[in-house]
Amino acid sequence: SCFGYPVSIFFIIVNEFCERFSYYGMRAVLVLYFKYFLQWDDNLSTAIYHTFVALCYLTPILGALIADSWLGKFLTIVSLSVVYAIGQGVMAISSINDLTDANHDGSPDNIHLHIGLSMVGLILIALGTGGIKPCVSAFGGDQFDDDQENQRSKFFSIFYLAINAGSLISTIITPIFRAQECGIHSKQQCYPLAFGVPAALMVVSLIVFLAGSRMYKKTKPQGNIMIQVSKCVAFAIKNRFRHRSKEFPKREHWLDWASEKYNKRLIVQIKMVMKVLFLFIPLPMFWALFDQQGSRWTLQATTMDGNFGAVQIQPDQMQTVNAILIVIMVPIFDTVIYPLIKKCKINFTPLRKITVGMFLASMAFVAAALVQVQIDKTIPVFPTAEQSQIKIINLGTDNATIRLEPQLHSVNLASMEWTDYVTFEASKLQSLNITFGNEVISRPITSPGGERHTLGIKNSLNDSGIMWLFDNVTSKPEEGKNLIRFINNSPDTLNITLGDTSFGTLVPFSASNYSLFSGGRRDTITAMKDEDLCSVLSQSFGFGSAYTVIINECSGTNLNVKYSEDIPPNSVHMALQIPQYFIITCAEIVFSITGLEFSYSQAPSNMKSVLQAGWLLTVAVGNIIVLIVAGASKLSEQWAEYVLFAALLLAVCIIFATMAYFYVYVDPNEVEAQLNEEEKKAKKAQEIYENEADVVSRM
């Protein structure tokens, strides 16, 4: 022992820290991996994410069954940790872009192979993390003797701290790894590193756990109480069905139909469990909202500005706000808020706390909807299939008048001025008239629907003075990246570079294609003219923007440039997500922690694992609800979907409050003490009967 604690528990705590780092680190970047590497849309990415989370909370039942019935906790943890580590390794391999990029163009040639490997990896991870979830904490508790109750209680506190520490640190670090660029033939976001580090931590977790093998107390499988409960319930239902005619008298409770085969103690205990499980029915709706922090809320953050001064926050790092607030708010609730409520003589029962938690989660999604409305206001309008959008830039030195007919749209532009994109009905756009002073030129034009174009004009009123560019951009750049292109408006041929990216050689009055850059950066623009090199530090392009950089002159070492904004950068700051994270964290504290405490307090001593499995099952069902609601709603606006989830949870909250009002709290210890007393009386009566029978037989 060490300071009165078994040395073996330190191996278990380190093991749990590494495992939680592995799981939450991988999960933090998962939805972005689906969207930007596998090229799935928001809805499919969200659906697969929640399917995976649901599976992670369904498999604990399997893990408990294997541990209690066959292998025992130790061998279950070891065997499923191997499966877990293999799954993490497969995920890391699946994200290697160069694995199938034979033509070195930066895109996988066989995306189906990457998808297949990803699905195999996620299934193995779900089996591993879910399977060991009910075993590790219980295995740690097994290491203590009966007289070490105080140490065991402190162990669970340290164990919970290890879970939160692993979650918090990994959620900060793995998005940083993802944001790096790596690759053999082309530089891509480094998902192999973001998945590889959690895979390595899972291997470390397994090694640390095995290192303490000789020190562990390893109990043999005792049989799974969940199997006994399932058999008893199944027999009661079947027996009731067999005796459904009116000639058989009704029994007080439907579980009493199991009395022919099972003893009264087991039936009474199952009744207590069933009362709590009935209350669990509305709870999955809470998890349907709560777990969207890792999907919809993360995707929402990709459309926001993550610039916090000296620090650039990645969209998937915003999930750390929840973990940080948990560490801060739990002590505040325990030492300030709950005592204050008690001082106000308000009976804040566990079921009332759970009800408040559901209400707060609903309000968190109202806050998310309000943020989404602000984001939607900043998103530019792109052309429909019947529309065309045109932006006009006057690259000349004189004022110009441009007229688009027959819709008679006319605009006057001074030198180096430009319009925003103007929307036209594509079928009605026929001709272009340009006027410089007294000179006029007319040209027929056609613009297919669903496209954006930029029209550049110079003083020379002939074909060499008109530049018609196809923009090929009909959405904001994803992940807060920037699209940059150049127009050479100088009289010289220039070789242009932005940072490390070359745009090639541009002759006078010509343009490059757009190139994609990571957001929030400033780079040096260089232009090579013969032997001369001109340069200038670019402006900040923000996040999620598109710019046309116009080079007017390369003189000496100075570069004269203008910036034309094609798509505005994200202007809604990620800090606006903090209120919704704060509200849902408060909801989690009064809902999740209280729910675990309530289910533990209302369960018989030998059936606490049954209610734990039921609690985890509500998380799984909640993630399935996300799939159903998001798939069935068909709402085109994201803010409307947030409001829908908020309304559904509010309705469920009212239903739960009604159910909770009629719930009668029980003390399992008193019930079991009463059962013990009845069993003693029954045993004593049996002994008296046997003694009397023995006396009679002797006579």
Side-chain angles (χ1 to χ4, degrees):
S1 65
C2 180
F3 301 108
Y5 293 87
V7 176
S8 56
I9 69 163
F10 296 102
F11 293 94
I12 296 171
I13 288 171
V14 174
N15 161 269
E16 183 66 10
F17 170 83
C18 294
E19 188 274 326
R20 290 290 86 185
F21 185 109
S22 178
Y23 173 72
Y24 282 106
M26 177 276 304
R27 197 174 115 170
V29 301
L30 192 59
V31 75
L32 299 186
Y33 169 72
F34 290 156
K35 182 171 183 179
Y36 300 121
F37 187 90
L38 299 183
Q39 299 297 312
W40 291 342
D41 62 22
D42 286 5
N43 290 332
L44 182 57
S45 298
T46 300
I48 300 300
Y49 175 87
H50 286 285
T51 301
F52 167 70
V53 175
L55 190 58
C56 288
Y57 283 92
L58 285 171
T59 49
I61 297 174
L62 178 63
L65 185 66
I66 294 172
D68 292 345
S69 301
W70 295 298
L71 296 182
K73 297 184 187 74
F74 175 76
L75 288 178
T76 301
I77 294 170
V78 171
S79 57
L80 290 180
S81 292
V82 172
V83 173
Y84 195 166
I86 293 172
Q88 291 281 33
V90 172
M91 278 299 296
I93 293 170
S94 74
S95 63
I96 299 175
N97 183 75
D98 295 304
L99 188 66
T100 61
D101 187 15
N103 57 6
H104 304 168
D105 65 350
S107 299
D109 298 333
N110 187 357
I111 193 66
H112 297 294
L113 175 63
H114 293 274
I115 293 173
L117 287 172
S118 299
M119 295 304 101
V120 170
L122 290 176
I123 290 171
L124 294 177
I125 291 170
L127 288 172
T129 187
I132 68 175
K133 192 184 292 290
C135 302
V136 179
S137 59
F139 187 69
D142 290 345
Q143 306 309 306
F144 294 88
D145 295 328
D146 292 338
D147 60 349
Q148 292 181 301
E149 188 62 36
N150 186 45
Q151 289 93 329
R152 182 186 284 114
S153 176
K154 290 182 179 178
F155 159 74
F156 284 116
S157 297
I158 298 171
F159 187 83
Y160 188 73
L161 179 63
I163 292 173
N164 283 278
S167 166
L168 176 60
I169 295 172
S170 65
T171 311
I172 294 173
I173 291 177
T174 50
I176 296 174
F177 291 151
R178 175 196 61 78
Q180 306 303 309
E181 292 187 344
C182 62
I184 300 172
H185 303 300
S186 61
K187 298 300 181 183
Q188 306 286 336
Q189 288 205 331
C190 207
Y191 288 104
L193 184 60
F195 289 136
V197 171
L201 263 292
M202 194 57 226
V203 174
V204 171
S205 172
L206 179 58
I207 293 172
V208 169
F209 186 73
L210 287 172
S213 177
R214 294 186 178 181
M215 304 179 192
Y216 297 140
K217 293 179 182 177
K218 303 170 186 174
T219 58
K220 294 181 179 180
Q222 301 294 318
N224 197 307
I225 187 66
M226 285 191 289
I227 294 178
Q228 296 180 43
V229 171
S230 300
K231 287 181 177 179
C232 181
V233 170
F235 180 80
I237 295 172
K238 185 166 60 175
N239 198 33
R240 177 67 183 91
F241 183 77
R242 287 174 179 170
H243 301 84
R244 60 186 182 276
S245 63
K246 293 182 179 180
E247 61 184 88
F248 297 102
K250 291 183 178 181
R251 301 188 183 183
E252 185 179 348
H253 193 280
W254 63 270
L255 273 169
D256 292 332
W257 288 96
S259 59
E260 283 86 345
K261 187 175 181 180
Y262 295 92
N263 61 50
K264 181 180 179 180
R265 174 182 288 270
L266 180 63
I267 293 172
V268 170
Q269 289 173 334
I270 295 176
K271 286 179 182 179
M272 294 165 64
V273 168
M274 286 297 176
K275 280 181 63 179
V276 180
L277 289 179
F278 177 72
L279 275 180
F280 281 2
I281 292 175
L283 302 190
M285 198 65 218
F286 173 88
W287 300 112
L289 276 68
F290 181 82
D291 279 338
Q292 289 189 56
Q293 292 177 77
S295 56
R296 291 298 198 198
W297 285 15
T298 299
L299 293 173
Q300 184 186 63
T302 64
T303 63
M304 304 176 77
D305 181 5
N307 186 10
F308 284 78
V311 179
Q312 170 56 38
I313 300 297
Q314 299 297 325
D316 33 357
Q317 283 182 313
M318 281 302 291
Q319 299 172 56
T320 60
V321 174
N322 173 250
I324 293 169
L325 287 174
I326 279 286
V327 174
I328 296 172
M329 296 302 295
V330 166
I332 293 176
F333 268 81
D334 288 340
T335 60
V336 178
I337 296 177
Y338 288 155
L340 187 62
I341 292 173
K342 188 175 182 181
K343 195 171 183 179
C344 294
K345 297 182 179 180
I346 298 174
N347 186 18
F348 204 29
T349 63
L351 292 181
R352 288 177 180 175
K353 290 179 183 178
I354 293 172
T355 305
V356 170
M358 297 172 81
F359 175 77
L360 288 175
S362 175
M363 293 303 101
F365 265 63
V366 172
L370 294 175
V371 171
Q372 190 64 46
V373 169
Q374 296 303 313
I375 293 172
D376 291 345
K377 289 178 181 178
T378 67
I379 296 176
V381 177
F382 293 97
T384 65
E386 294 77 29
Q387 295 175 331
S388 178
Q389 290 183 337
I390 298 176
K391 175 180 180 177
I392 305 169
I393 304 177
N394 182 2
L395 298 169
T397 57
D398 299 328
N399 294 345
T401 300
I402 301 93
R403 190 182 183 91
L404 295 162
E405 296 182 346
Q407 293 182 315
L408 302 178
H409 182 88
S410 181
V411 61
N412 297 313
L413 293 176
S415 175
M416 295 310 302
E417 285 188 349
W418 47 81
T419 66
D420 292 328
Y421 283 95
V422 182
T423 303
F424 300 91
E425 291 183 43
S427 61
K428 295 183 179 180
L429 200 57
Q430 297 177 3
S431 65
L432 165 71
N433 292 314
I434 305 171
T435 303
F436 274 110
N438 295 324
E439 298 182 76
V440 180
I441 185 173
S442 180
R443 290 285 183 272
I445 60 171
T446 58
S447 180
E451 293 183 358
R452 274 187 161 195
H453 294 271
T454 296
L455 174 65
I457 58 173
K458 289 200 85 165
N459 300 30
S460 175
L461 287 184
N462 53 47
D463 289 340
S464 63
I466 298 175
M467 180 190 301
W468 189 258
L469 303 177
F470 173 46
D471 293 351
N472 195 30
V473 177
T474 55
S475 64
K476 281 181 71 72
E478 301 282 8
E479 296 183 274
K481 292 184 177 181
N482 306 124
L483 285 169
I484 310 295
R485 68 178 174 185
F486 285 88
I487 291 179
N488 181 7
N489 195 38
S490 75
D492 306 303
T493 298
L494 302 175
N495 190 297
I496 300 170
T497 303
L498 177 61
D500 298 328
T501 303
S502 173
F503 284 79
T505 300
L506 295 182
V507 299
F509 199 57
S510 65
S512 71
N513 293 323
Y514 281 112
S515 288
L516 197 62
F517 293 84
S518 58
R521 56 190 282 184
R522 298 181 68 187
D523 285 302
T524 300
I525 303 172
T526 59
M528 180 73 73
K529 181 180 71 173
D530 298 328
E531 299 296 324
D532 298 330
L533 183 67
C534 309
S535 65
V536 66
L537 183 64
S538 74
Q539 71 172 33
S540 175
F541 297 113
F543 300 86
S545 66
Y547 278 88
T548 297
V549 183
I550 304 166
I551 298 179
N552 290 315
E553 185 181 12
C554 175
S555 175
T557 59
N558 297 321
L559 197 62
N560 184 303
V561 299
K562 293 285 187 180
Y563 301 93
S564 175
E565 185 181 271
D566 301 332
I567 296 177
N570 299 341
S571 57
V572 179
H573 203 274
M574 280 188 196
L576 283 183
Q577 280 196 320
I578 293 177
Q580 66 201 56
Y581 273 103
F582 175 79
I583 297 171
I584 207 161
T585 300
C586 294
E588 179 186 5
I589 292 170
V590 296
F591 180 93
S592 181
I593 297 175
T594 306
L596 288 170
E597 174 193 343
F598 169 76
S599 59
Y600 188 89
S601 68
Q602 297 296 292
S605 57
N606 65 332
M607 292 194 183
K608 298 188 186 297
S609 61
V610 177
L611 281 185
Q612 177 68 17
W615 180 262
L616 294 174
L617 192 61
T618 65
V619 182
V621 176
N623 282 271
I624 294 171
I625 289 173
V626 178
L627 307 181
I628 297 171
V629 175
S633 66
K634 302 299 182 183
L635 295 172
S636 58
E637 300 292 341
Q638 184 57 54
W639 67 265
E641 185 177 289
Y642 287 146
V643 171
L644 173 63
F645 274 106
L648 288 173
L649 182 56
L650 191 59
V652 169
C653 176
I654 295 171
I655 294 171
F656 178 80
T658 305
M659 294 168 62
Y661 179 79
F662 293 100
Y663 182 82
V664 179
Y665 290 86
V666 297
D667 185 347
N669 294 328
E670 288 185 4
V671 174
E672 291 181 345
Q674 184 178 349
L675 288 171
N676 291 336
E677 189 66 28
E678 290 178 1
E679 288 175 357
K680 285 180 183 179
K681 289 181 180 179
K683 186 177 180 181
K684 190 173 182 179
Q686 181 66 25
E687 288 175 353
I688 293 173
Y689 174 78
E690 289 177 353
N691 290 335
E692 290 178 350
D694 186 51
V695 170
V696 171
S697 64
R698 287 177 182 178
M699 292 176 61

